[in-house]
Amino acid sequence: AQTVTQSQPEMSVQEAETVTLSCTYDTSENNYYLFWYKQPPSRQMILVIRQEAYKQQNATENRFSVNFQKAAKSFSLKISDSQLGDTAMYFCAFMARDGDMRFGAGTRLTVKP
Amino acid sequence: DAGVTQSPTHLIKTRGQQVTLRCSPKSGHDTVSWYQQALGQGPQFIFQYYEEEERQRGNFPDRFSGHQFPNYSSELNVNALLLGDSALYLCASSLALAFSGNTIYFGEGSWLTVV
């Protein structure tokens, strides 16, 4: 069974600085997708970034980038130039061929002014 | 273009009762998945519907059942409610079978409180 682990329940960062959120996963699959979702107080899950396991190049979306280490089964999210609007819960998620998306327990990120 | 819509947004039920939650997928999407998110936890996969059939199921008892209609909308039914069923229920939609890398869109969820 696939599992996703986020070892940082809470993180904080000063506005305009950089923060990295950690995620590890366990799977025997070779082909899968990894995601980072943001969940603000409104509770709607918003896709931040997506990585396809067969692509070696790390995904980047504006201020958000990932460090994907397939052999180590690690998928960290780096947020550059943090903004107050980045304050939210962040969930790492894994999806294999069966279509069942597995989420980690989440990291609560607070951006301080 | 409307995204994923869910109803009701909030509801309160009594133990032992039954509840039905509804979801309309994003326009053009044909696959609907349901998740349960307890307070302070990540979402847990309940099941997925495609072509009006349950395609995948997570580790949830038979009290949790669902349905997908020809217009791709979906319902989640929970029977014999327990206090532990209190959670945010999220619906997600995507195009075609899930393992295509297509972006999955989530609704804002239905808050269920069981008293």
Side-chain angles (χ1 to χ4, degrees), chain A residues 78-104:
Chain A
K78 185 172 81 171
I79 305 175
S80 304
D81 185 25
S82 297
Q83 300 176 0
L84 297 178
D86 295 335
T87 292
M89 284 291 291
Y90 285 81
F91 291 97
C92 177
F94 169 100
M95 186 175 74
R97 184 165 293 279
D98 60 10
D100 170 0
M101 185 177 279
R102 301 291 178 106
F103 288 83

CSV table of all heavy atoms in Angstrom, one decimal, chain A residues 78-104:
chain,number,residue,atom,x,y,z
A,78,LYS,N,9.4,23.8,-2.4
A,78,LYS,CA,10.0,25.1,-2.0
A,78,LYS,C,9.2,26.2,-2.5
A,78,LYS,O,8.8,26.3,-3.7
A,78,LYS,CB,11.4,25.2,-2.7
A,78,LYS,CG,12.2,26.4,-2.2
A,78,LYS,CD,13.6,26.4,-2.7
A,78,LYS,CE,13.8,26.9,-4.1
A,78,LYS,NZ,15.2,27.1,-4.5
A,79,ILE,N,8.9,27.1,-1.5
A,79,ILE,CA,8.1,28.3,-1.8
A,79,ILE,C,9.1,29.5,-1.7
A,79,ILE,O,9.6,29.7,-0.6
A,79,ILE,CB,6.9,28.5,-0.9
A,79,ILE,CG1,6.0,27.3,-0.9
A,79,ILE,CG2,6.1,29.7,-1.3
A,79,ILE,CD1,4.9,27.3,0.1
A,80,SER,N,9.3,30.2,-2.8
A,80,SER,CA,10.2,31.3,-2.8
A,80,SER,C,9.4,32.6,-2.6
A,80,SER,O,8.2,32.7,-3.0
A,80,SER,CB,11.0,31.4,-4.1
A,80,SER,OG,11.7,30.2,-4.3
A,81,ASP,N,10.1,33.7,-2.1
A,81,ASP,CA,9.4,35.0,-1.9
A,81,ASP,C,8.0,34.8,-1.3
A,81,ASP,O,7.0,35.2,-1.9
A,81,ASP,CB,9.3,35.6,-3.3
A,81,ASP,CG,8.8,37.1,-3.2
A,81,ASP,OD1,8.9,37.7,-2.1
A,81,ASP,OD2,8.2,37.5,-4.2
A,82,SER,N,8.0,34.2,-0.1
A,82,SER,CA,6.7,33.8,0.5
A,82,SER,C,5.8,35.1,0.7
A,82,SER,O,6.3,36.2,1.0
A,82,SER,CB,7.0,33.2,1.9
A,82,SER,OG,7.7,32.0,1.8
A,83,GLN,N,4.5,34.9,0.5
A,83,GLN,CA,3.5,35.9,0.6
A,83,GLN,C,2.5,35.6,1.6
A,83,GLN,O,2.3,34.4,1.9
A,83,GLN,CB,2.8,36.1,-0.8
A,83,GLN,CG,3.8,36.5,-1.9
A,83,GLN,CD,3.2,36.6,-3.3
A,83,GLN,OE1,2.0,36.4,-3.4
A,83,GLN,NE2,4.0,37.0,-4.3
A,84,LEU,N,1.9,36.6,2.2
A,84,LEU,CA,0.9,36.4,3.3
A,84,LEU,C,-0.2,35.4,2.8
A,84,LEU,O,-0.7,34.6,3.5
A,84,LEU,CB,0.3,37.7,3.7
A,84,LEU,CG,1.2,38.6,4.4
A,84,LEU,CD1,0.5,39.9,4.8
A,84,LEU,CD2,1.9,38.0,5.6
A,85,GLY,N,-0.6,35.5,1.5
A,85,GLY,CA,-1.6,34.6,0.9
A,85,GLY,C,-1.2,33.2,0.8
A,85,GLY,O,-2.0,32.3,0.5
A,86,ASP,N,0.1,32.9,1.1
A,86,ASP,CA,0.5,31.5,1.1
A,86,ASP,C,0.2,30.7,2.4
A,86,ASP,O,0.3,29.5,2.4
A,86,ASP,CB,2.0,31.4,0.8
A,86,ASP,CG,2.5,31.9,-0.5
A,86,ASP,OD1,1.6,31.9,-1.5
A,86,ASP,OD2,3.6,32.4,-0.6
A,87,THR,N,-0.3,31.5,3.4
A,87,THR,CA,-0.7,30.9,4.6
A,87,THR,C,-1.8,29.9,4.4
A,87,THR,O,-2.9,30.3,3.9
A,87,THR,CB,-1.1,31.9,5.6
A,87,THR,OG1,0.1,32.7,6.0
A,87,THR,CG2,-1.7,31.3,6.9
A,88,ALA,N,-1.6,28.6,4.7
A,88,ALA,CA,-2.6,27.6,4.5
A,88,ALA,C,-2.1,26.2,4.9
A,88,ALA,O,-0.9,26.2,5.4
A,88,ALA,CB,-2.9,27.5,3.0
A,89,MET,N,-2.9,25.2,4.9
A,89,MET,CA,-2.5,23.8,5.0
A,89,MET,C,-1.9,23.4,3.7
A,89,MET,O,-2.6,23.6,2.6
A,89,MET,CB,-3.6,22.9,5.5
A,89,MET,CG,-4.0,23.1,6.9
A,89,MET,SD,-2.7,22.4,8.0
A,89,MET,CE,-2.8,20.7,7.7
A,90,TYR,N,-0.8,22.7,3.7
A,90,TYR,CA,-0.3,22.1,2.4
A,90,TYR,C,-0.2,20.6,2.5
A,90,TYR,O,0.3,20.0,3.5
A,90,TYR,CB,1.1,22.7,2.2
A,90,TYR,CG,1.1,24.1,1.7
A,90,TYR,CD1,1.0,25.1,2.6
A,90,TYR,CD2,1.2,24.4,0.3
A,90,TYR,CE1,0.9,26.5,2.2
A,90,TYR,CE2,1.1,25.7,-0.1
A,90,TYR,CZ,1.0,26.7,0.8
A,90,TYR,OH,0.9,28.0,0.4
A,91,PHE,N,-0.8,19.9,1.5
A,91,PHE,CA,-0.9,18.5,1.5
A,91,PHE,C,-0.1,17.9,0.3
A,91,PHE,O,-0.2,18.4,-0.8
A,91,PHE,CB,-2.3,18.0,1.4
A,91,PHE,CG,-3.1,18.2,2.6
A,91,PHE,CD1,-4.0,19.4,2.7
A,91,PHE,CD2,-3.1,17.4,3.7
A,91,PHE,CE1,-4.7,19.6,3.8
A,91,PHE,CE2,-3.9,17.6,4.8
A,91,PHE,CZ,-4.7,18.7,4.9
A,92,CYS,N,0.8,17.0,0.6
A,92,CYS,CA,1.5,16.2,-0.4
A,92,CYS,C,0.6,15.0,-0.7
A,92,CYS,O,-0.1,14.4,0.2
A,92,CYS,CB,2.8,15.7,0.2
A,92,CYS,SG,3.8,14.7,-0.9
A,93,ALA,N,0.5,14.7,-2.0
A,93,ALA,CA,-0.4,13.6,-2.4
A,93,ALA,C,0.3,12.7,-3.5
A,93,ALA,O,1.1,13.2,-4.3
A,93,ALA,CB,-1.7,14.1,-2.9
A,94,PHE,N,-0.1,11.4,-3.5
A,94,PHE,CA,0.5,10.4,-4.4
A,94,PHE,C,-0.7,9.8,-5.1
A,94,PHE,O,-1.7,9.4,-4.5
A,94,PHE,CB,1.3,9.4,-3.5
A,94,PHE,CG,1.7,8.2,-4.3
A,94,PHE,CD1,3.0,8.1,-4.8
A,94,PHE,CD2,0.8,7.1,-4.5
A,94,PHE,CE1,3.4,6.9,-5.4
A,94,PHE,CE2,1.2,6.0,-5.2
A,94,PHE,CZ,2.5,5.9,-5.6
A,95,MET,N,-0.5,9.6,-6.4
A,95,MET,CA,-1.5,8.8,-7.2
A,95,MET,C,-0.8,7.9,-8.1
A,95,MET,O,0.0,8.2,-9.0
A,95,MET,CB,-2.4,9.8,-8.0
A,95,MET,CG,-3.6,9.1,-8.6
A,95,MET,SD,-4.7,10.2,-9.5
A,95,MET,CE,-3.7,10.7,-10.9
A,96,ALA,N,-1.2,6.6,-8.0
A,96,ALA,CA,-0.7,5.5,-8.9
A,96,ALA,C,-1.7,5.1,-9.9
A,96,ALA,O,-2.8,5.8,-10.0
A,96,ALA,CB,-0.2,4.3,-8.0
A,97,ARG,N,-1.5,4.1,-10.6
A,97,ARG,CA,-2.4,3.7,-11.7
A,97,ARG,C,-3.8,3.4,-11.3
A,97,ARG,O,-4.7,3.5,-12.0
A,97,ARG,CB,-1.8,2.5,-12.4
A,97,ARG,CG,-2.5,2.1,-13.6
A,97,ARG,CD,-1.7,1.1,-14.5
A,97,ARG,NE,-0.5,1.8,-15.0
A,97,ARG,CZ,-0.6,2.5,-16.1
A,97,ARG,NH1,-1.7,2.7,-16.8
A,97,ARG,NH2,0.5,3.1,-16.6
A,98,ASP,N,-4.0,3.0,-10.0
A,98,ASP,CA,-5.3,2.6,-9.6
A,98,ASP,C,-6.2,3.9,-9.4
A,98,ASP,O,-7.4,3.7,-9.2
A,98,ASP,CB,-5.3,1.8,-8.3
A,98,ASP,CG,-4.7,2.5,-7.1
A,98,ASP,OD1,-4.4,3.7,-7.2
A,98,ASP,OD2,-4.4,1.8,-6.1
A,99,GLY,N,-5.6,5.0,-9.5
A,99,GLY,CA,-6.4,6.3,-9.4
A,99,GLY,C,-6.8,6.7,-8.0
A,99,GLY,O,-7.4,7.7,-7.8
A,100,ASP,N,-6.3,5.9,-7.0
A,100,ASP,CA,-6.6,6.3,-5.6
A,100,ASP,C,-5.5,7.3,-5.2
A,100,ASP,O,-4.3,6.9,-5.1
A,100,ASP,CB,-6.5,4.9,-4.8
A,100,ASP,CG,-6.5,5.1,-3.3
A,100,ASP,OD1,-6.6,6.3,-2.9
A,100,ASP,OD2,-6.4,4.1,-2.6
A,101,MET,N,-5.9,8.5,-4.9
A,101,MET,CA,-5.0,9.5,-4.4
A,101,MET,C,-4.8,9.4,-2.9
A,101,MET,O,-5.8,9.5,-2.2
A,101,MET,CB,-5.5,10.9,-4.8
A,101,MET,CG,-4.5,12.0,-4.5
A,101,MET,SD,-5.1,13.6,-5.1
A,101,MET,CE,-4.6,13.6,-6.8
A,102,ARG,N,-3.6,9.3,-2.5
A,102,ARG,CA,-3.3,9.2,-1.1
A,102,ARG,C,-2.6,10.5,-0.6
A,102,ARG,O,-1.7,11.0,-1.3
A,102,ARG,CB,-2.3,8.1,-0.8
A,102,ARG,CG,-2.8,6.7,-1.2
A,102,ARG,CD,-3.9,6.2,-0.4
A,102,ARG,NE,-4.4,5.0,-0.8
A,102,ARG,CZ,-4.2,3.8,-0.1
A,102,ARG,NH1,-3.5,3.8,1.0
A,102,ARG,NH2,-4.7,2.7,-0.6
A,103,PHE,N,-3.1,11.1,0.5
A,103,PHE,CA,-2.6,12.3,1.0
A,103,PHE,C,-1.8,12.1,2.3
A,103,PHE,O,-2.1,11.2,3.1
A,103,PHE,CB,-3.8,13.3,1.4
A,103,PHE,CG,-4.5,13.8,0.2
A,103,PHE,CD1,-5.5,13.1,-0.5
A,103,PHE,CD2,-4.2,15.1,-0.3
A,103,PHE,CE1,-6.2,13.6,-1.6
A,103,PHE,CE2,-4.9,15.6,-1.4
A,103,PHE,CZ,-5.9,14.9,-2.0
A,104,GLY,N,-0.9,13.0,2.5
A,104,GLY,CA,-0.2,13.1,3.8
A,104,GLY,C,-1.1,13.8,4.8
A,104,GLY,O,-2.2,14.3,4.5
